[in-house]
Each structure stands twice: as structure tokens, then as C-alpha cells.
Amino acid sequence: MKGRASARVFRRRLSRPPAATGSASSPSSVHATKAARCMSRSPLLWFPMQLRKALQAGLQSLLERQVPSAQLAAELLLMHVLKQDRGFVHTHPELELPPEAADRYFRLIAERSTGKPTQYITGHQEFWGLDFEVTPQVLIPRPETEHAVEAVLELARREGLDENRRLKIVDVGTGSGCIALALASEFPRAVVFATDISRSALVVASRNAVRLGMPERVKFLECDLLTRFLDGDFTFDFVVSNPPYVARDELHQLQREVRDFEPQLAWGGLERGDEIYRRLFPQALQVLKPGGHVVVEIGYTMRDAVISLLGSPWIEVDVRADLRGIPRVVSARKNPQPTG
Ligand SMILES: C[S@@+](CC[C@H](N)C(=O)[O-])C[C@H]1O[C@@H](n2cnc3c(N)ncnc32)[C@H](O)[C@@H]1O
């Protein structure tokens, strides 16, 4: 619902008196109590409050708590409460926020101020143009991970493997399912598997497959890396992964949003940082067809270390940088003519 029609409905909602929550409370006393509660959180506030004022107060509160990307967070939380898009919020700054909505908004602002990521509060994150459910059981998909999806598309295109080919792809450490489902959406005929060692992550990933209209497209498996495929019954064109790679001595560089709220199993906290690549590459070699590709996301200092782990069974080693120029994705092709 957009534009004027949406604003009309919103105004109609505003014209209803606020519902009383306690038997002894009149609507106006409930309103006053909520206003007072809100006032105690921020001296700037008093009902009725316009969207612009609410946004300013929310932003101010987040800035005081040094929340990163505070403007974006303040907007997203208001959009979430209003169930409206950014355009609505910015084109109707004078609209008055219903007291219940204001109360909810400032409760969410307080939650965000503790460091809890906005996406865990709203329950959503967009990836590859798809809307993913996210919970604290899964890593929040990052925009830079889209480069891993791009790399698979580019390599497939380069080899003339178009969307009609029945490619076999496995996403290792699927989390929310973002890479696997993005690839399934790009290759409608592909057979896509996704593994994760976390059962609770796989529950979220399966829900995402359903809500994105691809319930049968990805087979989710609970297993350690690629161990379910090592018997050789199934071989792949692509092994793709965004594995955990943060080393213990890099912990202090993590934002509290990641360190305190995202699952450690997802981001790492590993002794060295390269442990998963060390195990993944030999397994990928076993499950890939001759000439198949491995595509992995890497940490911003890991380029040389990861390349050195690949060695002679791999050819056409390539590194892609993200939009900030940071090496982000390493790909390599399994040598179709192994040298003994
Ligand atoms: C960095 S997250 C990536 C999640 C998702 N692919 C993304 O890009 O947002 C790494 C994922 O690997 C999973 N994981 C960690 N160790 C694993 C292992 N040994 N085998 C399979 N999955 C593992 C974690 O549970 C987590 O979901």
C-alpha cells in the first residue's frame, strides 16, 4: 500500500481512540501514561508526535548509544512499526504517530541501543533481491556475500552453462539459506544442496525456501562440511561457501552487534581463521566433477593464505574484490587432467 491511499488509511487509524488496556483506565489516561513513559525515555517527546519528530528522537537516541548506521536503523524500525516503506515515511513527515505505534517504536529503539542488530528485531534481511527471514540462529546475510553468487553465475556463463543446464551445486554452511536460494532462483533447473552443522540454522533456511516459493528446490542437510557426499555417489559442478573465518585474535575488531548477537558458530572465533578452508578444499576436490569449481568468501586479510591452501590440483585461481576493493571471493577450478 503506497502513497495517498495509504496515508488515508493511516489517518483513519489515527482517528480511532486509543484502546484502554486496564478496566479502570479511561482511553485518555492510558494515552497520558504511555506519553509519560515515553517522555521518561526521551525528554524531546510528547504526544501527539509527528513521524518526523519520532524519527529525529529515535535517531538521537541511537546516536547517543553509538549505534552504527543509526539513521538507517531509525528509519528501518519506523518502517517496520508502520508496515510502510521508506517512501511513505519521508513523504508524510507531518503525519501523527498513533500512541501505540510510538510506544512500540521507542521500545524497538531501546532494543537496538543494546547492540541487537536491526535485522534480528525486524526479522528480515534482503539478499540478492530476495527477502530472507533472519533469527539469532543464523548469520545475517551480508551484501558482500552476493559476490560469491555473482562468481558462480559468471563462471557458469563463461563455460556456456546457461540457466537451462541441470547444474549440481552445493552451498556449505548455508545459514539462512541465502546463497543456495539465490542460486536456485538463478538456475531453475539446477539441483541444489545446502549443508550446515547447525540444525537450528537449517530450520530457518527451510522456512526461507518455503516463503520464497522454492520449497522443493534446495535439499538441506545437517552435516559437517561435505562429509555426506564423500562416498562419491554424487558429484558437483560447484561447491560454494561463506564459511566461518574470524580468528580469535581478531575478536576485538568485531562490532558488538556481531560478537554479542550473531552465532559464534557462524562467524568463527577460530584458533587461526583458516581451519574451515583447510578441511573444505580437500573435500571439495573429492566431490567436484573434473573441471568443477570451488567458490569461497574470504576475510579481508586472507587472500594469500587461502590461495596457498589450494595447491596443484587446482587451476584458474581467481580473486574477486568487493565494492570497496577488498579481496572477497576466491574461486578455483578442479584440474580436469590431474597430474598424478
Ligand atoms: C559465515 S556463516 C554463513 C551463512 C550463510 N551462508 C551466509 O553467507 O550468510 C557460516 C555458516 O557455516 C555453518 N558452519 C560452521 N561450521 C560448519 C561445519 N563444520 N559444517 C557445516 N556448516 C558449518 C554455521 O552454522 C553458519 O551457518
Side-chain angles (χ1 to χ4, degrees):
M1 183 171 38
K2 297 221 163 70
R4 283 205 186 133
S6 162
R8 270 202 303 276
V9 173
F10 195 75
R11 283 201 182 91
R12 264 207 306 278
R13 274 196 226 132
L14 286 185
S15 63
R16 284 189 217 129
T21 50
S23 55
S25 316
S26 70
S28 59
S29 72
V30 170
H31 191 165
T33 312
K34 285 188 174 164
R37 234 188 289 143
C38 223
M39 280 285 286
S40 70
R41 286 183 200 125
S42 168
L44 293 175
L45 310 181
W46 191 251
F47 291 125
M49 191 189 299
Q50 294 178 326
L51 295 197
R52 182 200 291 116
K53 285 269 157 49
L55 199 54
Q56 281 168 355
L59 173 61
Q60 185 59 33
S61 190
L62 295 179
L63 288 172
E64 279 164 16
R65 298 298 304 271
Q66 293 167 0
V67 169
S69 309
Q71 173 80 36
L72 183 63
E75 284 180 10
L76 286 172
L77 293 177
L78 190 55
M79 288 155 56
H80 178 65
V81 166
L82 299 176
K83 297 190 173 52
Q84 298 287 349
D85 61 17
R86 178 171 284 114
F88 180 91
V89 170
H90 286 286
T91 51
H92 301 90
E94 80 297 345
L95 277 185
E96 284 171 9
L97 197 57
E100 294 81 3
D103 191 49
R104 173 130 195 267
Y105 179 56
F106 289 105
R107 266 190 281 121
L108 298 189
I109 288 285
E111 210 177 338
R112 180 68 189 88
S113 301
T114 66
K116 185 172 183 177
T118 307
Q119 295 91 333
Y120 288 154
I121 298 173
T122 63
H124 293 271
Q125 172 64 31
E126 188 186 310
F127 181 86
W128 203 256
L130 304 170
D131 178 39
F132 283 84
E133 175 195 347
V134 289
T135 72
Q137 282 68 46
V138 298
L139 191 91
I140 298 163
R142 306 296 205 265
E144 52 270 27
T145 302
E146 293 186 350
H147 293 295
V149 177
E150 270 166 18
V152 174
L153 291 180
E154 201 180 298
L155 290 164
R157 217 174 290 132
R158 205 185 287 171
E159 292 183 16
L161 304 170
D162 66 19
E163 60 183 39
N164 295 317
R165 284 289 283 270
R166 210 168 155 72
L167 290 176
K168 297 196 176 69
I169 301 171
V170 58
D171 170 25
V172 181
T174 197
S176 62
C178 59
I179 296 177
L181 288 161
L183 288 171
S185 75
E186 291 292 335
F187 295 105
R189 287 178 47 75
V191 177
V192 184
F193 284 87
T195 74
D196 206 294
I197 205 163
S198 158
R199 181 173 296 180
S200 51
L202 289 168
V203 170
V204 177
S206 305
R207 278 208 299 268
N208 276 320
V210 173
R211 68 195 300 278
L212 292 170
M214 298 185 269
E216 307 296 331
R217 290 300 322 285
V218 178
K219 293 172 186 57
F220 294 102
L221 297 174
E222 183 183 347
C223 82
D224 180 15
L225 302 184
L226 289 163
T227 45
R228 289 277 280 274
F229 300 104
L230 295 180
D231 56 13
D233 286 350
F234 210 88
T235 52
F236 292 94
D237 298 284
F238 287 94
V239 170
V240 57
S241 182
N242 172 21
Y245 52 67
V246 176
R248 210 162 280 164
D249 63 4
E250 294 171 331
L251 273 179
H252 64 281
Q253 295 170 15
L254 288 182
Q255 289 179 337
R256 69 177 166 158
E257 277 75 4
V258 180
R259 195 188 53 232
D260 297 346
F261 291 90
E262 297 199 66
Q264 178 169 350
L265 189 58
W267 49 259
L270 306 165
E271 196 58 46
R272 303 161 47 104
D274 65 358
E275 285 89 335
I276 298 283
Y277 304 99
R278 283 178 184 276
R279 295 177 53 229
L280 179 64
F281 291 152
Q283 291 188 11
L285 208 54
Q286 267 182 270
V287 307
L288 280 171
K289 296 174 183 174
H293 299 266
V294 67
V295 174
V296 291
E297 179 171 324
I298 59 168
Y300 73 104
T301 57
M302 300 182 93
R303 178 186 183 278
D304 295 340
V306 169
I307 290 176
S308 72
L309 292 175
L310 284 163
S312 63
W314 300 94
I315 57 172
E316 298 172 24
V317 176
D318 201 4
V319 181
R320 288 167 178 75
D322 65 19
L323 297 176
R324 291 183 295 163
I326 296 169
R328 187 55 72 183
V329 171
V330 170
S331 64
R333 185 160 175 245
K334 177 176 171 177
N335 193 341
Q337 283 137 5
T339 51

